Amino acid sequence: MPRERLSVVVTRRLPEVVETRLSELFDVRLRDDDTPMTRDELAAAMRSADVLVPTLTDKIDAGLLAQAGERLRLIANYGAGVDHIDVATARQRGVLVSNTPGVLTDDTADMTMALILAVTRRIPEGLAVMQKNEWTGWAPTALLGGRVGGRRLGILGMGRIGQAVARRASAFGMQIHYHNRRRLRPEIEESLEATYWESLDQMIARMDVISVNCPSTPSTFHLMNARRLKLMKPSGVLVNTSRGEVIDENALTRMIRAGDIAGAGLDVYEHGTQVNPRLRELPNVVLLPHMGSATLEGRIEMGEKVIINIKTFADGHRPPDQVVPAML
Ligand code: DGY
C-alpha cells in the first residue's frame, strides 16, 4: 500500500522551483500571497499539518506550540537562525526542529563586506550625489572615506559566517581579530591569521570595525550594550548582518548622533521592521532590509535543505540539520 504523503504547510512564498518540488513530494499547502501568517493562521496550520515550514517572520512560541495538533512532528525552518522558535518547548512536545545552515554563509559574508565598504567608502553618499544630479566633477577632497586595508576587524561570533567574513576581509588587507564562546582550533586560527580575544571588552576597544556575526540567544541579547558601545573607538564602525537584538539600537543611535562612533552598517534591527527613525537620518549609517542571504541561488539552496530535512524525517531518520537546544 502506498504510504500517505506528509502534510506540509509553508508559511511564506518560496522560490518557484522550491514550491514546485515541495508539491511533487508532499501534500503541501503553499501561501498565496507573501504576507506573514497571522497567529491564528499559524495555529490552524500547526493543528492540521505533519510538518510546518516557517521562516524567521513566524514567532513559534510556547503558546502556539501548546495549540499544535498531535500530527505536528517537524518544524523544518526555512532559514538558519531559529531564535523565533522555542526549540526547547518543541523538543519537550516531541516536535523536531531543523534549519538550513551553510547555504547562506557566503552570501551573508559578502553582504557584511558590502556594508563595511559602503560605510567606510561612503558609497550611499556618492550614490545620492549622482541620483540628485549634483556631481560637479572630480575633486581632490570630495567624499573622502577611509581605506579598509590595514584596519583591524573584530568579528563577534566566529562560526561559519564569521569565518567567511574573516577570509574575505583578509583578502581586503584587514587584520582579523575575533571573540567567540569557544576559541577556534589552532590550525583554523592560523589559516585565518586570526587573533583571539578572550575579553570582548578589550577587543572592542582596539578595533576599527566590529562585525556582529553571532546568533541571537538569551546570552547574546544586547551584547553590544551602551557600556560596550562606549568602549569603541570614536573612529570605529559597527556592522551587523546577524540579528538586531545583539545591539542596543537606541544606544547605538545616540552614540552615532553624538559622534562617539563613526558609522554603522545594519541589515537587521532590534524591533524587526520598526527601525529607529533617527537612524534613517544619519549619512554615516547604511541600512538594508535584511538582505544578507537574499540571492536566488541561496534561497533555492535553503529550499533544498528544507526538502532534504523533511524527506529524511519522512524516511524515519533524523533530519540532517536538526537543531537541539544544547546547540543554542
Ligand atoms: C536566516 O536564515 O536566519 C537569515 O537571517 C536569513 O537571511
Side-chain angles (χ1 to χ4, degrees):
M1 216 172 67
R3 262 194 302 175
E4 211 184 297
R5 296 208 307 172
L6 280 185
S7 140
V8 176
V9 173
V10 182
T11 66
R12 296 294 298 263
R13 292 303 312 267
L14 302 181
E16 206 177 322
V17 286
V18 177
E19 293 190 340
T20 305
R21 190 65 188 133
L22 280 164
S23 312
E24 286 163 2
L25 292 168
F26 310 111
D27 174 14
V28 71
R29 250 175 296 150
L30 299 170
R31 189 92 175 127
D32 290 330
D33 65 76
D34 196 22
T35 54
M37 282 187 172
T38 63
R39 197 170 165 84
D40 286 347
E41 286 173 322
L42 271 177
M46 288 168 69
R47 274 196 295 274
S48 61
D50 300 309
V51 180
L52 183 76
V53 180
T55 72
L56 60 91
T57 52
D58 304 306
K59 185 146 187 59
I60 318 275
D61 56 20
L64 264 187
L65 284 160
Q67 299 176 53
E70 288 287 299
R71 292 183 67 156
L72 185 74
R73 304 308 310 282
L74 174 64
I75 298 175
N77 187 53
Y78 181 84
V82 289
D83 44 299
H84 55 292
I85 303 173
D86 185 339
V87 179
T89 302
R91 190 178 173 84
Q92 279 160 17
R93 301 185 63 90
V95 179
L96 303 187
V97 176
S98 63
N99 66 343
T100 64
V103 290
L104 34 77
T105 302
D106 287 333
D107 296 325
T108 310
D110 289 347
M111 196 57 100
T112 306
M113 286 311 299
L115 282 172
I116 292 173
L117 290 165
V119 178
T120 56
R121 298 300 305 274
R122 306 176 61 180
I123 292 172
E125 290 170 78
L127 178 64
V129 166
M130 298 308 286
Q131 286 178 334
K132 289 190 219 146
N133 200 14
E134 284 173 356
W135 189 39
T136 51
W138 187 86
T141 55
L143 283 172
L144 300 186
R147 177 185 292 158
V148 294
R151 289 196 182 197
R152 291 176 143 212
L153 170 66
I155 300 176
L156 207 179
M158 201 61 149
R160 285 188 183 88
I161 297 175
Q163 291 179 39
V165 170
R167 284 192 293 275
R168 285 157 174 74
S170 176
F172 276 87
M174 298 186 87
Q175 295 169 27
I176 310 304
H177 299 255
Y178 77 99
H179 172 83
N180 200 40
R181 264 190 311 183
R182 277 185 294 274
R183 187 169 179 169
L184 298 177
R185 291 205 309 275
E187 62 274 22
I188 303 181
E189 235 179 46
E190 213 171 291
S191 74
L192 296 171
E193 294 182 56
T195 303
Y196 173 66
W197 292 80
E198 192 176 342
S199 159
L200 175 59
D201 289 5
Q202 289 193 21
M203 180 179 89
I204 291 171
R206 288 162 180 81
M207 296 300 121
D208 301 306
V209 180
I210 305 271
S211 173
V212 175
N213 296 107
C214 59
S216 169
T217 66
S219 59
T220 62
F221 178 77
H222 278 193
L223 204 55
M224 291 302 285
N225 55 20
R227 183 188 67 77
R228 289 211 172 93
L229 289 167
K230 281 203 186 87
L231 296 174
M232 284 181 68
K233 291 183 183 181
S235 57
V237 166
L238 181 63
V239 166
N240 188 3
T241 52
S242 176
R243 285 292 184 269
E245 292 87 340
V246 180
I247 300 176
D248 179 340
E249 192 172 297
N250 285 336
L252 175 67
T253 309
R254 275 198 310 275
M255 293 188 62
I256 296 178
R257 279 167 59 87
D260 297 332
I261 293 177
L266 306 175
D267 190 38
V268 285
Y269 306 91
E270 188 175 346
H271 305 290
T273 54
Q274 305 305 306
V275 180
N276 186 325
R278 295 207 149 137
L279 273 177
R280 296 180 206 274
E281 298 160 3
L282 300 169
N284 45 349
V285 173
V286 179
L287 305 178
L288 294 177
H290 201 156
M291 290 167 66
S293 70
T295 65
L296 181 59
E297 294 87 345
R299 293 287 160 87
I300 291 174
E301 287 171 15
M302 284 162 70
E304 282 164 4
K305 280 229 156 211
V306 166
I307 290 168
I308 291 167
N309 281 315
I310 303 175
K311 258 202 98 24
T312 313
F313 169 76
D315 291 342
H317 305 286
R318 193 175 174 276
D321 303 308
Q322 186 184 345
V323 180
V324 292
M327 291 161 73
L328 304 173

